[in-house]
Amino acid sequence: MVVAVEYISKEESDDAETATHGVTGILAVQGAFAEHAAVLDKLGAPWKLLRAAEDFDDSIDRVILPGGESTTQGKLLHSTGLFEKIDAHIKAGKPVFGTCAGMILLAKKLDNDPNVYFGALDAVVRRNAYGRQLGSFAATADFGQLGSPDYIADFPLVFIRGPYVVSVGPEASVETEVDGHAVALRQGRILATAFHPELTGDTRLHELFLSL
Ligand code: GLN
């Protein structure tokens, strides 16, 4: 997906300014945040970029943690004060969607990095585990259990040096697998994918997130 030039200068959707709740806050300190904003626009869902702690106001009901570089995002989360805001949001059981680096930020433990960020998702994740040759690839797979209301068939998966799910604890469930390996996890109102649903033009996973 090519992100329209208009997103370079947009800080929020047109309807977000007057909204008192129901707005999705998209972490925008680094990474692929504009692509998530474009998907939410397609769905007519209000959004606001989170660049500073003040951006996290009472209108924010849900949060997206985009792909990018988790180490950089982690540092900027702390220096902006957004870490505390988003951490409190997650601890209150409110919806959060982490894609790629966002999954790393959510994981309880990283197996090749001493850092832990939100530590909310019951899984061990390895950064950059899809090596240089296999760093980026596309596939399709189903999301969720056949027969469940949240089931999504043939979802397109785009991986860009995505994290590898090493193990999944009892609190989290595996929603999508590729070659028998977990690439999407869910834990209550936490959704995390090793792939980039915002890059395919398929809005179904974002619709599911908005329904959580
Ligand atoms: N390599 C990134 C990291 O470790 C994740 C890759 C991505 O978000 N596309 O943060």
Coordinates of all heavy atoms in Angstrom, one line a residue, residues 66-71 73 99-102 104 127-128 159-163 194 196, ligand 1:
P66 N 2.6 0.3 16.0 CA 2.9 -0.1 14.7 C 4.2 -0.8 14.5 O 5.0 -0.8 15.5 CB 3.0 1.3 13.9 CG 3.4 2.2 15.0 CD 2.9 1.7 16.3
G67 N 4.5 -1.3 13.3 CA 5.8 -1.8 13.0 C 6.9 -0.7 12.9 O 6.5 0.4 12.9
G68 N 8.1 -1.2 13.0 CA 9.2 -0.2 12.9 C 10.4 -0.8 13.6 O 10.7 -1.9 13.4
E69 N 11.0 0.0 14.5 CA 12.2 -0.5 15.2 C 11.9 -0.4 16.7 O 11.8 0.7 17.2 CB 13.4 0.4 14.8 CG 14.7 0.1 15.4 CD 15.1 -1.4 15.2 OE1 14.9 -2.0 14.1 OE2 15.5 -2.0 16.2
S70 N 11.8 -1.6 17.3 CA 11.3 -1.6 18.6 C 12.2 -0.9 19.6 O 11.8 -0.3 20.6 CB 11.0 -3.1 19.1 OG 12.1 -3.9 18.9
T71 N 13.5 -1.0 19.4 CA 14.5 -0.4 20.4 C 14.3 1.1 20.3 O 14.2 1.8 21.4 CB 15.9 -0.8 20.0 OG1 16.0 -2.2 19.8 CG2 16.9 -0.4 21.1
Q73 N 11.6 2.7 19.3 CA 10.3 3.0 19.8 C 10.3 3.0 21.3 O 9.7 3.8 22.0 CB 9.3 2.0 19.2 CG 9.0 2.2 17.7 CD 8.0 1.2 17.2 OE1 7.7 0.2 17.9 NE2 7.6 1.3 16.0
T99 N 1.6 -4.6 15.9 CA 2.0 -5.3 14.7 C 3.5 -5.2 14.6 O 4.1 -4.2 14.7 CB 1.3 -4.6 13.4 OG1 1.8 -3.3 13.3 CG2 -0.2 -4.6 13.5
C100 N 4.1 -6.4 14.4 CA 5.6 -6.5 14.2 C 6.4 -6.0 15.4 O 6.3 -6.5 16.4 CB 5.9 -5.9 12.8 SG 7.4 -6.7 12.1
A101 N 7.0 -4.8 15.2 CA 7.7 -4.2 16.4 C 6.7 -4.0 17.6 O 7.1 -4.2 18.7 CB 8.3 -2.9 16.0
G102 N 5.4 -3.8 17.2 CA 4.4 -3.6 18.3 C 4.2 -4.9 19.1 O 4.0 -4.9 20.3
I104 N 6.7 -7.0 19.7 CA 7.9 -7.0 20.5 C 7.6 -6.2 21.8 O 8.0 -6.5 22.9 CB 9.1 -6.6 19.7 CG1 9.4 -7.6 18.6 CG2 10.3 -6.4 20.6 CD1 10.4 -7.1 17.5
R127 N 13.5 -11.2 18.3 CA 13.6 -10.1 17.4 C 14.3 -10.5 16.1 O 15.3 -11.3 16.2 CB 14.3 -8.9 18.0 CG 13.6 -8.2 19.1 CD 14.3 -7.0 19.5 NE 14.5 -6.1 18.4 CZ 15.5 -5.3 18.3 NH1 16.4 -5.2 19.1 NH2 15.6 -4.5 17.2
N128 N 13.9 -10.0 15.0 CA 14.6 -10.1 13.7 C 15.0 -11.6 13.4 O 16.0 -11.9 12.9 CB 15.9 -9.3 13.7 CG 15.7 -7.8 13.9 OD1 14.6 -7.3 13.4 ND2 16.5 -7.2 14.6
F159 N 5.4 -10.1 5.8 CA 6.4 -10.1 6.9 C 7.6 -9.2 6.5 O 8.1 -9.4 5.3 CB 6.9 -11.5 7.1 CG 5.9 -12.4 7.7 CD1 5.0 -13.1 6.9 CD2 5.8 -12.6 9.1 CE1 4.0 -14.0 7.5 CE2 4.9 -13.5 9.7 CZ 4.0 -14.1 8.8
I160 N 8.0 -8.4 7.3 CA 9.2 -7.5 7.1 C 10.1 -7.7 8.3 O 10.0 -7.0 9.3 CB 8.9 -6.1 6.8 CG1 7.8 -6.0 5.7 CG2 10.1 -5.3 6.5 CD1 7.2 -4.6 5.5
R161 N 11.0 -8.6 8.2 CA 11.9 -8.9 9.3 C 11.2 -9.0 10.6 O 11.5 -8.3 11.6 CB 13.1 -7.9 9.3 CG 14.1 -8.2 8.2 CD 15.4 -7.4 8.2 NE 16.2 -7.4 9.4 CZ 17.0 -8.4 9.8 NH1 16.9 -9.6 9.1 NH2 17.7 -8.3 10.8
G162 N 10.1 -9.7 10.6 CA 9.2 -9.8 11.7 C 9.7 -10.6 12.9 O 10.7 -11.4 12.7
P163 N 9.1 -10.5 14.0 CA 9.5 -11.3 15.2 C 9.0 -12.7 15.1 O 8.0 -13.0 14.4 CB 8.8 -10.5 16.3 CG 7.6 -9.8 15.7 CD 8.1 -9.5 14.3
A194 N 2.9 -10.9 14.0 CA 4.3 -10.8 13.5 C 4.3 -10.1 12.1 O 5.4 -9.7 11.7 CB 4.9 -12.2 13.5
H196 N 2.3 -7.6 8.9 CA 1.8 -6.2 8.8 C 0.5 -6.1 8.1 O 0.4 -6.0 6.9 CB 2.8 -5.4 7.9 CG 4.1 -5.1 8.6 ND1 4.3 -3.9 9.3 CD2 5.2 -5.8 8.8 CE1 5.5 -3.9 9.8 NE2 6.1 -5.0 9.5
Ligands
GLN1 N1 13.1 -5.6 13.4 C1 12.1 -4.9 14.1 C2 12.4 -4.8 15.6 O1 13.0 -5.6 16.1 C3 10.7 -5.3 13.8 C4 10.4 -5.4 12.3 C5 9.2 -4.6 11.9 O2 8.5 -4.0 12.7 N2 9.0 -4.6 10.6 O3 11.9 -3.9 16.2

